[in-house]
Amino acid sequence: MNFFEHQDKARRQSKFLIVMFALAVLAIIAAVDVFVFFALGPDPWNLVWATVVTGGVILGASAVRSLQLRGGGGEVAQAMGGTRIDGDTTDPLRRRLRNVVEEMAIASGVPVPEIYVLEHEQGINAFAAGFSPADAAVAVTRGTLEHLDRDELQGVIAHEFSHVLNGDMRLNIRLIGLLFGILVIAILGRKLLYSARFARDSRGAAPAVLAGLGVVVIGYIGLFFGRWIKAAVSRQREYLADASAVQFTRNPDGIGNALKKIGALQAGSFMTADTEEVGHMLFSTGMGYQAFATHPPLEKRIKAVDPSFRSEELAQIAQDMKRHAQARKAEAEEAARRQQVEEAAAGGVDPTRLVTDLGNLAEQIGQPGLEQALTAAVMAAGIPSRLEQAAHSDEWAPELVCCLLISADREVRERQLLQVARTLGGDSEEKVRHLRETLVDQPRAIRLPLVELAFPQIRRRPEAELMDFMRLLDGLAQADGKIDMHEFALTRLVNALVRDALRPARAAATGRRKLASRKPEATELMAILARYGHPEDSAAAEAAFGAGMAELEGQIPAMPDTAGWAGRLDDLLARLDDLRPASKHSLVVALLRCAAYDEQVVDDELDLLRVVCALLHVPLPLMGTRES
């Protein structure tokens, strides 16, 4: 099942979720009506009011909870007690976690998510939350940091990235909102029972106790349905995420040993926080035995990645695990990782030299592999420390993104720096000048990844500041009176990430339109890509256009004029974003065939591919490398 099939399945499961929620609401209302019938008699008005009030409470609670979650994944992580990892952290365990997450984000072609640690949780667990990759957060427990080595941690994070890439996060966070309405009945019942303790006499307490017991029983009907729905949605997806983690890392021992350590650890994966709401999005079970568990049995998950596993191994693993051992190993592991990256670079892995087999890259969308991970690690390691520190700094990240647009022309550059000073202040202008000295000699291939590294720091700023910042970037891009492809790609990438982060609930990866209804837009987009892939050779451009259109529909129309593309491309991409998953798949495959026509990829062509996929909500994996 590829990325686009996952997206289509997530949409179907959303419909299934709505139907199951409606059935659960009807069952609860029926139970309330039965209770009212026996408690108050067969008066039809009592039944009408019971139905209206119960339905209103459930739907109202679901609506309120859904609104509370509109802020995205970071709010879920903070509600669970998560502490955000600062970009300049010196804790070796946190730095290792940050490096793993960033490498996987760059390799997958998604923005770097916010990273949180649940400091008071000693079990091994993790989750990813959010409506879209732009507002995603990845959280791990302290036990995960302290008990897992780098390979095992990488396996867990790869599992969570599968949920980020395949639409599971959006489904999971909607599940929280909807099911809260069902669970709220049990909460009300407990409150009624609690209030009965303060009655002045037993006669006064009896009605409250009776009502509380009745509501609690009805609430457990809701709890039953809630857990059943979560299990129906989640269990198979956990197997798929485990398989994706193995494919990403090419190391079944990573996630396999992480699961084994959960079985060997006394605390297991259990958490002290109440995980009833979020249990379905955790890496492993967050609470003790329950009917309709949200995760498959641990032993079955282990055997799925390690068929030779025997349960007797857990006793030896438990003896080998020593608390805080990872704190001592983390720095050594990161040093070994740097050496591996240096050896890969010395052996010919150069992230600025791209593979030519773009035509098959579509099959890796949502399912990146080890080649992408290694290339991302090489790219990240090659970023100068000054730029890397700026990307991770709350105070320097906006200036770094501005610096990426600063012109080489002295006159234009001074106008741009004046814009920076007017919008962000004189100190920011000095920071931009300072960073430019380091950036000027760096390859263009690292520029968009730098934006993604800086984005977690930028997205936390107030909405008004973000709006001003986006206007500043547009002004910098147009300071010379025109806009080139790099400027277009960078500004539109930032705009798309900010828009999705500010309104995460509206960021949908799927639409409903068929490709046939967007044929003119797809044709013009193909022509723009072909022109920028062959700026000096119109015959080659037409041939590349023909290759893409042949893949798209089998017939090759006349190549449209692409003059003035910048004024139309925004609208083209906005309309194409409304395509259904299968149609997006066809379009992306055709675009990659167009780019792969002459087995060469120029910088403009690559930037356009990346921003097109970002605006279509398709995570284009980092392209592999070829030997220098």
Side-chain angles (χ1 to χ4, degrees):
M1 185 181 298
N2 64 28
F3 166 80
F4 302 95
E5 292 168 336
H6 275 294
Q7 295 293 324
D8 197 43
K9 183 178 180 180
R11 185 172 63 177
R12 293 196 304 270
Q13 284 195 312
S14 294
K15 295 178 181 178
F16 167 81
L17 174 59
I18 297 295
V19 172
M20 292 298 101
F21 174 73
L23 292 176
V25 171
L26 291 176
I28 294 171
I29 289 175
V32 171
D33 287 348
V34 169
F35 177 77
V36 170
F37 179 87
F38 285 104
L40 302 179
D43 185 341
W45 282 108
N46 287 336
L47 298 180
V48 169
W49 279 110
T51 299
V52 171
V53 170
T54 304
V57 168
I58 293 174
L59 296 177
S62 292
V64 169
R65 188 70 179 115
S66 296
L67 287 172
Q68 291 173 340
L69 295 170
R70 290 175 71 86
E75 290 193 6
V76 177
Q78 291 171 30
M80 291 293 294
T83 301
R84 183 174 61 84
I85 292 183
D86 293 327
D88 57 355
T89 180
T90 58
D91 178 1
L93 294 178
R94 293 182 171 217
R95 287 183 65 86
R96 179 176 65 180
L97 172 64
R98 190 195 70 192
N99 291 344
V100 168
V101 171
E102 289 181 347
E103 288 172 13
M104 290 196 172
I106 293 173
S108 304
V110 297
V112 177
E114 289 190 321
I115 310 170
Y116 289 83
V117 176
L118 309 181
E119 290 288 0
H120 303 295
E121 300 292 349
Q122 300 308 314
I124 298 173
N125 223 321
F127 65 84
F131 286 95
S132 73
D135 78 292
V138 172
V140 305
T141 60
R142 188 71 191 179
T144 301
L145 294 185
E146 292 182 343
H147 293 297
L148 302 188
D149 64 25
R150 195 184 206 278
D151 288 343
E152 293 157 356
L153 180 65
Q154 192 175 47
V156 171
I157 298 303
H159 173 106
E160 297 307 325
F161 263 81
S162 172
H163 293 312
V164 174
L165 292 165
N166 292 327
D168 297 347
M169 287 194 313
R170 190 178 187 87
L171 186 66
N172 286 340
I173 205 166
R174 283 180 169 174
L175 201 57
I176 294 176
L178 285 178
L179 296 188
F180 182 77
I182 297 175
L183 301 176
V184 78
I185 303 295
I187 297 172
L188 292 174
R190 288 198 296 266
K191 288 185 178 296
L192 281 173
L193 287 177
Y194 183 77
S195 66
R197 297 172 52 192
F198 300 98
R200 294 183 178 179
D201 53 50
S202 58
R203 290 183 180 180
V209 171
L210 180 63
L213 286 173
V215 175
V216 165
V217 170
I218 294 168
Y220 273 95
I221 295 175
L223 193 65
F224 169 86
F225 274 103
R227 289 179 176 174
W228 175 55
I229 293 171
K230 286 190 289 186
V233 170
S234 300
R235 287 174 68 100
Q236 189 60 32
R237 285 177 173 264
E238 294 304 314
Y239 280 126
L240 291 173
D242 287 347
S244 294
V246 173
Q247 177 178 321
F248 199 157
T249 62
R250 295 294 192 272
N251 180 15
D253 289 342
I255 190 168
N257 288 342
L259 292 168
K260 291 174 187 177
K261 285 186 175 180
I262 289 175
L265 186 66
Q266 184 175 2
S269 60
F270 298 158
M271 297 172 61
T272 58
D274 184 359
T275 61
E276 184 64 56
E277 274 195 301
V278 302
H280 58 289
M281 65 171 59
L282 297 175
F283 173 71
S284 187
T285 304
M287 55 194 301
Y289 173 80
Q290 61 185 48
F292 302 115
T294 55
H295 291 66
L298 184 65
E299 188 167 327
K300 287 188 176 181
R301 289 179 69 186
I302 296 173
K303 286 188 174 180
V305 297
D306 181 7
S308 66
F309 169 73
R310 294 176 296 104
S311 57
E312 293 79 12
E313 296 176 32
L314 297 181
Q316 183 60 47
I317 293 173
Q319 292 181 7
D320 294 340
M321 291 173 66
K322 294 181 179 179
R323 187 170 171 78
H324 301 304
Q326 292 307 318
R328 295 190 294 271
K329 289 179 61 177
E331 290 184 336
E333 283 183 340
E334 289 307 294
R337 180 64 169 173
R338 286 193 296 272
Q339 182 177 355
Q340 179 188 12
V341 167
E342 290 170 1
E343 291 173 354
V349 175
D350 179 358
T352 69
R353 297 174 64 81
L354 304 175
V355 295
T356 56
D357 191 19
L358 291 178
N360 295 320
L361 189 65
E363 301 310 313
Q364 292 183 291
I365 291 173
Q367 303 178 73
L370 183 61
E371 183 182 48
Q372 277 82 18
L374 181 58
T375 304
V378 173
M379 180 176 286
I383 295 174
S385 60
R386 179 184 292 180
L387 300 180
E388 187 263 344
Q389 291 169 8
H392 291 130
S393 169
D394 290 338
E395 297 178 356
W396 285 73
E399 287 80 0
L400 174 62
V401 175
C402 290
C403 183
L404 299 174
L405 290 168
I406 297 301
S407 173
D409 182 274
R410 186 175 183 279
E411 183 178 343
V412 175
R413 181 167 67 249
E414 291 304 318
R415 289 201 299 268
Q416 291 174 318
L417 291 170
L418 181 59
Q419 291 183 50
V420 172
R422 286 173 175 172
T423 303
L424 301 179
D427 289 345
S428 292
E429 178 193 355
E430 288 301 317
K431 290 177 181 178
V432 172
R433 290 182 184 274
H434 180 71
L435 291 171
R436 185 181 176 278
E437 295 175 2
T438 303
L439 183 67
V440 68
D441 295 325
Q442 296 303 308
R444 181 166 156 181
I446 73 167
R447 294 188 171 220
L448 293 186
L450 275 174
V451 172
E452 293 168 344
L453 289 176
F455 184 65
Q457 285 64 250
I458 293 172
R459 72 188 248 196
R460 290 191 292 271
R461 295 187 173 239
E463 182 172 349
E465 287 188 23
L466 289 174
M467 295 297 104
D468 289 340
F469 180 63
M470 288 193 295
R471 283 191 289 269
L472 171 61
L473 295 183
D474 287 338
L476 296 178
Q478 299 175 25
D480 58 356
K482 57 185 179 180
I483 184 167
D484 62 29
M485 185 54 71
H486 171 63
E487 292 167 338
F488 178 88
L490 192 148
T491 54
R492 289 341 184 246
L493 176 62
V494 174
N495 287 349
L497 295 179
V498 170
R499 183 182 65 241
D500 286 354
L502 289 177
R503 305 287 186 270
R506 299 180 185 176
T510 62
R512 299 182 181 278
R513 295 279 186 175
K514 292 184 178 180
L515 189 56
S517 68
R518 294 286 186 257
K519 181 180 176 181
E521 291 85 354
T523 301
E524 188 168 2
L525 176 61
M526 192 75 66
I528 294 171
L529 177 63
R531 290 290 186 198
Y532 269 87
H534 309 85
E536 306 297 333
D537 189 342
S538 59
E542 290 189 9
F545 172 78
M549 293 306 299
E551 177 71 32
L552 193 61
E553 59 178 30
Q555 297 179 351
I556 304 174
M559 185 173 177
D561 181 25
T562 59
W565 62 269
R568 299 196 307 276
L569 195 49
D570 287 320
D571 182 59
L572 292 178
L573 293 173
R575 292 170 66 80
L576 290 169
D577 189 35
D578 196 31
L579 292 174
R580 60 180 56 184
S583 293
K584 285 188 179 180
H585 184 203
S586 298
L587 176 60
V588 171
V589 169
L591 291 170
L592 290 171
R593 289 279 187 257
C594 174
Y597 167 73
D598 61 352
E599 299 187 349
Q600 294 181 8
V601 184
V602 298
D603 287 333
D604 281 345
E605 200 173 12
L606 176 58
D607 281 352
L608 180 57
L609 279 172
R610 292 195 63 180
V611 76
V612 164
C613 287
L615 294 180
L616 295 181
H617 294 95
V618 174
L620 186 68
L622 187 68
M623 299 178 192
T625 60
R626 64 189 180 196
E627 291 187 1
S628 301

